[in-house]
Amino acid sequence: MELREALSYDDVLLAPSYSEVLPSDVDLRTVLVRDIELNLPILSSAMDTVTEDRMAIALALSGGAGVIHRNLSPEIQAQQVSKVKRFLNWIIDNPVTVNIGATLAETRRTMDETGVTGLPVLDAGKVVGIITIRDLRFNENPEMLVDDVMTRDLVVETSIPTEKAALAKFDKHRIEKLPLVDVGGRLTGLITVRDMEKHRDYPSAALDSSGSLIVGAAIGPRDWPARLPGLIASGLDFAVLDTAHGASLNVLKSLEKIRKKFGNLSIVGGNVADGDGARRMIEAGADAVKVGVGPGSICTTRVVTGVGVPQFTAVADAVEVCDAMRVPLIADGGVKYSGDIAKAIGAGASAVMIGNLFAGLKDAPGQEVIFEGRIFKSYRGMGSIGAIESGGIDRYQIGEGEEAVPEGVEGRVPYRGEVAPYLHQLATGVRKAMGYTGCASVEQLREYRRFIKISTTGLRESHVHDVSVIQDAPNYSRL
Ligand code: IMP
């Protein structure tokens, strides 16, 4: 008989170490998958009570990333990805333009319809000027032509400037729009002061190379052919093969097919719970491996099936293989406090995925409800009866027409307010862990791997004890 011992986050603590690291100075950047970097090692779960476009935007603005769930039609899921991608621009690839021969009336109509108030002017495809709403204000005659009033004195860029160089140009020439042109003078993009200001408002946003927010989306072993073309066309950064048992033949076969068909796509494969599962996922083509069988707060898999691995051990086992094969590991589920994020990374994870703690945030799907004087939001497992009935998804291998045997429950969690201040609590918890352990970067914490196994009395001592809490803390409660 094989009988292994395994531990959960509650069974361990990071051992403290001599430190010269201040929490405020640590670097929380992490490599999520391939060349995608986050500024905060946190993802939100692909669940219909956790991640749609609003959550994905809010999370990416703070440095993490959301994974849009797949209890949505392929079209709507792709639209949501596109909304996230268009929220912040660094370079507008397809700017709205106007022709030099257009009348001012036509120009105003274009501005009204698109909401864009400054347009590059084209003559036979070449940029020859710029016209703004101000030029229209002082020229009342609607029959006049763009040619008569536009600004000809153009400042353009012929290559993609650095942010600093673009800002310097805006300041020097007192302009608000900077067209990018090719050697033939044809428009290739546009940089605006307004977009740059938005970027300055969110200095830690998780961005791709063209300055758009990073976003992921869930796909399944059966629905990927319907989803991936639209998701990729919308600018998806990474796909998450969302299954409850990644180390199974049909999932691995699908992964191989996806890999073959979409060679350049960054794919997170999951879920697995040990080194063998991680190896199989990577060999089938995963660029990152998601770990977790049964740790989720709404999950009943371990009770219904008797199968699973306590999450700390699952991460610790799988990471041996992931490290050897140079692939990042994402620890999915079971995060109850910020300290659990530090423990997951201290055991080797590059990022964590969170459902429960995020379901109560304002930007999670669903309405706030008041129950016995307190505010809640609903949170349910994707294998719960409600989620199965509303989407019939295949994560939990429920066949067509079969009576559902759920592996999750439907519940509610306390309302937790806005995303940014809540993430600040989580991120600062991790920063403090790095201060206590002397780790200046996520990579150093990932390599730390010094833990203490504690007893039930140790856990009792860790939590608030022998006191009645009279003031709720923003980062601690005992449900
Ligand atoms: P939590 O943050 O502990 O609530 O865990 C969230 C994770 O639980 C998700 O990212 C999924 O991997 C997993 N999960 C989601 N729905 C279910 C379910 O119905 N049963 C089991 N696990 C689930």
Side-chain angles (χ1 to χ4, degrees), residues 81 149 235 248 364 409 447:
V81 165
V149 302
S248 54
V409 298
E447 283 162 14

Side-chain angles (χ1 to χ4, degrees), residues 118-359:
L119 313 176
V121 179
L122 302 187
D123 184 4
K126 290 190 181 173
V127 190
V128 290
I130 199 147
I131 185 161
T132 70
I133 193 125
R134 255 182 297 155
D135 300 320
L136 299 189
R137 222 171 268 147
F138 301 116
N139 292 286
E140 298 288 323
N141 180 356
E143 294 310 312
M144 278 173 80
L145 300 182
V146 169
D147 199 6
D148 304 324
V149 302
M150 70 181 189
T151 306
R152 289 165 195 281
D153 210 5
L154 259 197
V155 182
V156 296
E157 274 287 351
T158 47
S159 57
I160 296 176
T162 62
E163 207 168 317
K164 214 167 145 203
L167 274 175
K169 273 215 160 151
F170 284 123
D171 286 346
K172 183 171 167 210
H173 301 283
R174 296 173 174 250
I175 51 172
E176 296 196 336
K177 297 200 159 34
L178 186 58
L180 304 182
V181 296
D182 63 15
V183 278
R186 256 166 257 278
L187 186 68
T188 56
L190 184 70
I191 300 174
T192 75
V193 164
R194 207 166 133 236
D195 280 323
M196 294 201 69
E197 280 169 354
K198 264 210 224 163
H199 275 110
R200 266 191 277 178
D201 290 343
Y202 300 103
S204 345
L207 303 175
D208 64 18
S209 57
S210 60
S212 297
L213 297 176
I214 287 181
V215 62
I219 53 170
R222 282 185 285 202
D223 64 13
W224 64 268
R227 293 186 185 277
L228 274 180
L231 289 170
I232 292 169
S234 301
L236 182 76
D237 294 288
F238 63 98
V240 176
L241 184 58
D242 171 44
T243 81
H245 186 25
S248 54
L249 185 64
N250 69 328
V251 175
L252 295 167
K253 272 192 173 159
S254 313
L255 180 51
E256 278 170 11
K257 282 190 199 150
I258 301 169
R259 179 78 298 154
K260 234 188 196 159
K261 186 138 193 222
F262 301 97
N264 291 328
L265 180 66
S266 297
I267 308 172
V268 177
N271 279 11
V272 298
D274 56 20
D276 180 64
R279 183 181 50 75
R280 287 178 193 275
M281 279 263 124
I282 298 166
E283 283 173 357
D287 303 303
V289 174
K290 193 148 68 66
V291 170
V293 174
S297 61
I298 35 50
C299 175
T300 55
T301 300
R302 292 185 192 163
V303 189
V304 169
T305 69
V307 178
V309 181
Q311 184 69 343
F312 179 77
T313 294
V315 170
D317 275 4
V319 85
E320 300 287 323
V321 172
C322 290
D323 276 358
M325 296 175 87
R326 296 177 170 278
V327 156
L329 181 154
I330 298 160
D332 176 15
V335 170
K336 306 175 295 304
Y337 301 99
S338 48
D340 295 336
I341 305 175
K343 291 176 190 176
I345 298 173
S350 293
V352 298
M353 179 176 260
I354 292 179
N356 180 307
L357 298 184
F358 290 165

